């Protein structure tokens, strides 16, 4: 079954809009990658400043291949657009969680 990567981002209140705009601006950056299955940016509702970036991949190898290519640039490993300085990160901390999907369910049809 699939694997899930959850990037846990600590984002101060004043940087939330910046983070969400950056993710919106890069929409499509991962969707064409081999083995990519799903993406969600989860905004905290109450009592925390932690965003979750959920991605689902066919295999660990597919994720690693993306990370060593396009993902590296998306996560600060590439050069800034237009040769200028990279913008300051919106998150003050980040942790990557990894999971294997062992069970799943979808709504019943009809």
């Amino acid at each position: 079954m699939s694997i899930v990567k959850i990037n846990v981002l600590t984002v101060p209140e004043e940087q939330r809009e910046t983070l969400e705009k950056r993710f919106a601006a890069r929409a499509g950056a991962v969707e064409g990658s081999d083995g990519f299955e799903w993406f969600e940016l989860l905004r905290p509702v109450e009592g925390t400043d932690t965003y979750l970036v959920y991605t689902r991949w066919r295999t660990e190898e597919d994720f690693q291949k993306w990370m060593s290519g396009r993902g590296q640039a998306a996560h600060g490993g590439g050069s800034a657009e237009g040769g200028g300085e990279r913008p300051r990160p919106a998150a003050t901390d980040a942790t990557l969680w990894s999971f294997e999907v062992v069970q799943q369910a979808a709504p019943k049809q009809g």
Side-chain angles (χ1 to χ4, degrees):
M1 281 205 168
S2 304
I3 60 132
V4 169
K5 300 292 182 174
I6 299 174
N7 201 357
V8 183
L9 304 175
T10 303
V11 182
E13 178 89 29
E14 65 274 8
Q15 290 292 336
R16 287 181 172 192
E17 185 177 347
T18 298
L19 178 86
E20 292 178 21
K21 284 181 178 179
R22 287 180 184 170
F23 270 94
R26 61 181 283 285
V30 69
E31 287 87 329
S33 300
D34 190 40
F36 170 79
E37 295 179 350
W38 198 258
F39 162 85
E40 291 178 322
L41 175 62
L42 306 176
R43 176 193 302 139
V45 177
E46 57 188 34
T48 183
D49 57 359
T50 303
Y51 275 72
L52 301 178
V53 182
Y54 173 101
T55 57
R56 183 171 163 150
W57 299 85
R58 181 179 50 215
T59 66
E60 177 69 25
E61 293 74 25
D62 290 326
F63 171 74
Q64 293 300 330
K65 185 177 176 184
W66 177 76
M67 278 299 294
S68 66
R70 286 192 270 172
Q72 187 175 22
H75 288 91
S79 61
E81 263 185 54
E85 245 182 72
R86 272 198 167 277
R88 188 172 137 273
T92 59
D93 189 37
T95 303
L96 183 64
W97 294 344
S98 299
F99 298 89
E100 291 179 326
V101 176
V102 293
Q103 292 184 25
Q104 61 186 16
K108 291 185 179 184
Q109 301 297 322

